Amino acid sequence: MRTRAILGSILASASVLIIGYQAGVSVTTGDGTSLTLPVGSTTSESVGTTADSRAISGPTDGTYTGSSISTRFGNVQVAVTITSGSISEVTALQLTDADGRSVQISNRAAPILRSEVLASQSAQVSNVSGATYTTRAYLGSLQSALDQAGA
Amino acid sequence: MTTHTSTRRLTAQPLDVAAVADYRRTFARRARRSDLLVMALWASGAAAAALFLASGGASQFTSLTETITSIGIIAGLIGTDFILVMLVLAARIPLIDAAIGHDRAIAVHRSLGKPALYLLLGHGALLLVGYGMATGINPIAEIGPMLALPDMPLAFIGLGLLIAVVISSLVAVRRRFSYEGWHLIHLLSYVAVAFALPHQLSVGGVLSDGTAQRIYWIALYVIALGAIVTFRMIEPIVSSLRHGLRVSAVTAIAPGVTTIQFSGRALRQLGTSGGQFFIWRFWTGRTWWHSHPLSLSAMPTDRSARITVRALGEGSAQLGTLPVGTRVSIEGPYGLFSAAARTSPKLAIIAAGIGVTPVRALLEHASFAPGDATILLRASTPEETYHWDEIRAIAAAKGAACYEMIGHRPASTASWMSAADVDRGVTLATAFPDLADSDVFLCGPTPWLDLVEADVRTAGIRPHQIHSERFDW
């Protein structure tokens, strides 16, 4: 009887874990949007590229709302304001907020991302450690807003 | 050792094949249920981890920081699962009681206490480290930001309460408390669970709104707390009101030993199997806060029941002076010290001191062929032979062999028998020739019972054939 209970427990636990793991794999490959976006080239390079692109056409002034990017900690959406052809403001419309911890993380990451974006004048800024999902989604939404502006 | 029996037999009786098959089947069914419960316990722990994996998969282990955080979360989930399993085990659910018995359910409950606490402490510590690393500050400094999260201060208090509960239940500490004092602290575990729940739902992403994980965990809470409310509160209240028990007579039968008779309604419908116990509460100003786990000392009739109490503690000492007419509330019947635990048509019963009470009811209720049951009654002095006259009479009427052994244990060797009988060469085998084919029911004070159990095991009796009832809570 004891043997049966032990073997049964091992079998049941192992199957439950495998099913859970498989389900997890499909979840992570499913929302690829936030994972495939580019992150973190160096600041000096990005300044160069923005300067170049501005020389050719330059973004149109105005406020552009980026697409909403979903992560497993909630959706992220930002708006960018272009004044005199440069990024003058980034506003977070929505940040990862699925739970208390995510709110805390995004509240810490958002000001850092904003100032880095304003400094680099692009979506090419480095990852805020401990806020990878927020960073990726924030920059992804920002990039789509910049695309609309024609930057 | 003296013998009172109507059918004293000289040789072992042949086994009734059909009856043996019946008992085997019943036992196999119970063993299957018990094994399923064990599997469910482990699978629920695995499910806690699996649902975490399902929420984010291997991506949650890509960096050291994330790995520490993820392991911390899994520790918290499994720890919480154990706490909920502990609640289920303490809920006295009839299905679980019938499969493994109250004793074993509580033994498993106890054995999960420390692992659950360690997992939850690990949960707190790992998340302080993981969150701290993510923000670039040390774990102690992370306490501040962590407490700033909604619901987290409550969770910290909950963990503190849980530490108090587990410490108060450590054997060494527990002895310092009265049962009631300990129980009061133990009730804090409900507060701890209630305080920890909000942060699970709001802080962690695993149980965020609209996920299957959230539904699963809420269901677990509902089952665990629902079982407690149903079987430890509603069911006892309904049963107590329905049967309307009152004390009808209190009789001293020996120094410090009292029988209490009850009157009530439809008592047979309690479904008591002889040998089971109830948890009694006597509603007088002095006694209502003590609950007493006590076996019936006779099978109830429709309108009356009886228990026999020995003054072991402060609470049970007061029972000797209960006024007639006192209202009594009950929880039960509980326990597998009854026919439900039998695996064979033959019975070997050994009881000492006040341990005769469940044995008296068991013997009265048990079905066996004449000659298939042997009882050994044990007392240190002739004053401690409570209800032996009744047991003798039942044994004689049902054809059971009844041995009586009075006298102190030997001073030099560890034996559960009297010194005189040890010297005479009495052994388990001489008293119980059919022992190997019998169910062995043992009841008595713990140190004595441990010795009998060891002796029975040495004789090669398998654990599922041994049914013990100890006097300790």
Side-chain angles (χ1 to χ4, degrees):
Chain A
M1 301 306 139
R2 220 181 135 63
T3 327
R4 182 173 67 184
I6 292 169
L7 288 179
S9 303
I10 292 171
L11 192 70
S13 306
S15 7
V16 166
L17 281 170
I18 291 168
I19 294 168
Y21 183 78
Q22 285 303 323
V25 169
S26 63
V27 166
T28 33
T29 49
D31 71 352
T33 355
S34 54
L35 294 172
T36 48
L37 286 159
V39 226
S41 51
T42 66
T43 318
S44 59
E45 268 179 5
S46 350
V47 170
T49 8
T50 356
D52 283 349
S53 56
R54 205 191 307 170
I56 300 161
S57 60
T60 323
D61 284 2
T63 298
Y64 304 90
T65 303
S67 54
S68 173
I69 308 259
S70 72
T71 78
R72 64 188 186 86
F73 300 107
N75 297 335
V76 175
Q77 190 171 30
V78 299
V80 67
T81 305
I82 308 287
T83 315
S84 323
S86 57
I87 301 174
S88 63
E89 185 56 277
V90 187
T91 319
L93 301 176
Q94 195 188 0
L95 289 167
T96 47
D97 61 353
D99 54 83
R101 170 70 181 160
S102 298
V103 171
Q104 194 178 47
I105 290 174
S106 47
N107 286 345
R108 180 174 59 87
I112 301 174
L113 288 166
R114 177 182 167 274
S115 62
E116 286 198 19
V117 167
L118 292 179
S120 75
Q121 286 296 311
S122 79
Q124 321 293 306
V125 302
S126 58
N127 184 47
V128 175
S129 79
T132 310
Y133 283 87
T134 308
T135 305
R136 287 174 182 172
Y138 187 98
L139 298 178
S141 182
L142 173 67
Q143 186 60 58
S144 77
L146 291 177
D147 290 346
Q148 291 169 43
Chain B
M1 194 159 77
T2 54
T3 309
H4 298 263
T5 172
S6 52
T7 57
R8 182 82 180 96
R9 61 218 153 81
L10 299 167
T11 53
Q13 303 260 319
L15 287 168
D16 174 346
V17 179
V20 169
D22 257 10
Y23 281 111
R24 286 239 172 92
R25 242 191 327 275
T26 320
F27 169 62
R29 195 183 317 128
R30 198 164 58 77
R32 206 156 45 232
R33 283 190 193 150
S34 149
D35 287 352
L36 276 174
L37 284 174
V38 173
M39 289 180 219
L41 192 165
W42 289 110
S44 74
L51 283 169
F52 173 79
L53 291 177
S55 77
S59 70
Q60 299 165 109
F61 296 91
T62 44
S63 68
L64 181 63
T65 308
E66 285 190 60
T67 306
I68 290 174
T69 305
S70 296
I71 293 175
I73 294 173
I74 292 178
L77 291 169
I78 296 178
T80 307
D81 177 74
F82 280 6
I83 297 277
L84 295 178
V85 167
M86 289 171 77
L87 288 181
V88 167
L89 287 168
R92 306 191 188 126
I93 300 170
L95 190 78
I96 292 180
D97 191 56
I100 62 172
H102 181 68
D103 286 5
R104 217 181 124 204
I106 290 303
V108 179
H109 170 97
R110 278 184 196 161
S111 69
L112 286 174
K114 272 199 245 171
L117 180 67
Y118 294 153
L119 282 165
L120 293 173
L121 287 174
H123 165 69
L126 286 169
L127 285 183
L128 283 175
V129 173
Y131 284 11
M133 281 169 72
T135 336
I137 57 178
N138 72 56
I140 306 298
E142 178 59 36
I143 292 175
M146 187 141 353
L147 281 172
L149 285 169
D151 303 326
M152 278 310 297
L154 272 184
F156 271 90
I157 297 171
L159 187 58
L161 292 176
L162 202 63
I163 294 171
V165 169
V166 174
I167 288 179
S168 75
S169 292
L170 298 177
V171 175
V173 183
R174 190 168 162 171
R175 285 210 197 98
R176 295 167 185 267
F177 290 99
S178 67
Y179 176 82
E180 285 69 29
W182 167 83
H183 190 66
L184 213 59
I185 298 175
H186 218 69
L187 289 177
L188 288 176
S189 51
Y190 296 118
V191 182
V193 169
F195 278 14
L197 178 60
H199 94 282
Q200 268 191 289
L201 298 176
S202 71
V203 176
V206 185
L207 305 189
S208 52
D209 252 337
T211 55
Q213 281 82 350
R214 194 183 183 91
I215 297 166
Y216 172 82
W217 277 97
I218 290 176
L220 278 194
Y221 274 94
V222 170
I223 290 170
L225 295 172
I228 294 273
V229 170
T230 309
F231 296 111
R232 294 203 59 170
M233 296 164 77
I234 298 175
E235 203 275 334
I237 291 172
V238 170
S239 170
S240 296
L241 290 175
R242 174 171 175 224
H243 296 290
L245 284 168
R246 280 173 188 273
V247 172
S248 63
V250 179
T251 321
I253 59 164
V257 179
T258 312
T259 63
I260 303 174
Q261 296 273 359
F262 305 99
S263 62
R265 295 183 291 270
L267 298 182
R268 283 214 181 89
Q269 289 178 34
L270 283 166
T272 317
S273 183
Q276 285 190 302
F277 69 96
F278 289 81
I279 293 175
W280 307 81
R281 206 176 277 280
F282 302 94
W283 293 92
T284 72
R286 290 174 305 130
T287 55
W288 68 269
W289 62 82
H290 285 287
S291 66
H292 305 270
L294 294 166
S295 313
L296 291 177
S297 59
M299 285 306 288
T301 67
D302 226 22
R303 317 204 57 173
S304 74
R306 186 187 76 177
I307 57 174
T308 305
V309 194
R310 185 173 159 208
L312 289 167
E314 180 202 340
S316 44
Q318 292 179 335
L319 298 184
T321 55
L322 277 176
V324 167
T326 302
R327 278 181 187 282
V328 182
S329 62
I330 49 167
E331 299 168 50
Y334 299 127
L336 265 185
F337 193 81
S338 73
R342 286 178 67 180
T343 63
S344 147
K346 298 197 178 203
L347 286 172
I349 302 171
I350 310 177
I354 197 67
V356 299
T357 49
V359 159
R360 154 78 178 72
L362 176 77
L363 191 67
E364 181 184 357
H365 195 209
S367 56
F368 54 84
D372 271 357
T374 308
I375 305 128
L376 196 159
L377 298 173
R378 183 74 181 83
S380 296
T381 64
E383 286 74 48
E384 292 168 13
T385 58
Y386 328 117
H387 293 323
W388 283 24
D389 49 343
E390 295 180 10
I391 294 176
R392 256 177 238 142
I394 298 169
K398 296 181 89 163
C402 183
Y403 298 120
E404 297 174 10
M405 189 191 283
I406 300 174
H408 289 282
R409 286 186 259 160
S412 50
T413 52
S415 169
W416 55 272
M417 288 185 281
S418 68
D421 282 298
V422 171
D423 288 345
R424 276 176 49 216
V426 176
T427 63
L428 261 185
T430 62
F432 300 94
D434 296 338
L435 193 68
D437 296 324
S438 303
D439 276 308
V440 186
F441 283 85
L442 310 171
C443 188
T446 301
W448 174 86
L449 193 70
D450 289 342
L451 290 171
V452 190
E453 239 182 37
D455 200 9
V456 172
R457 276 172 208 267
T458 312
I461 306 305
R462 296 174 51 206
H464 70 257
Q465 287 172 270
I466 306 172
H467 317 289
S468 307
E469 186 96 318
R470 288 176 163 76
F471 305 147
D472 51 10
W473 43 270

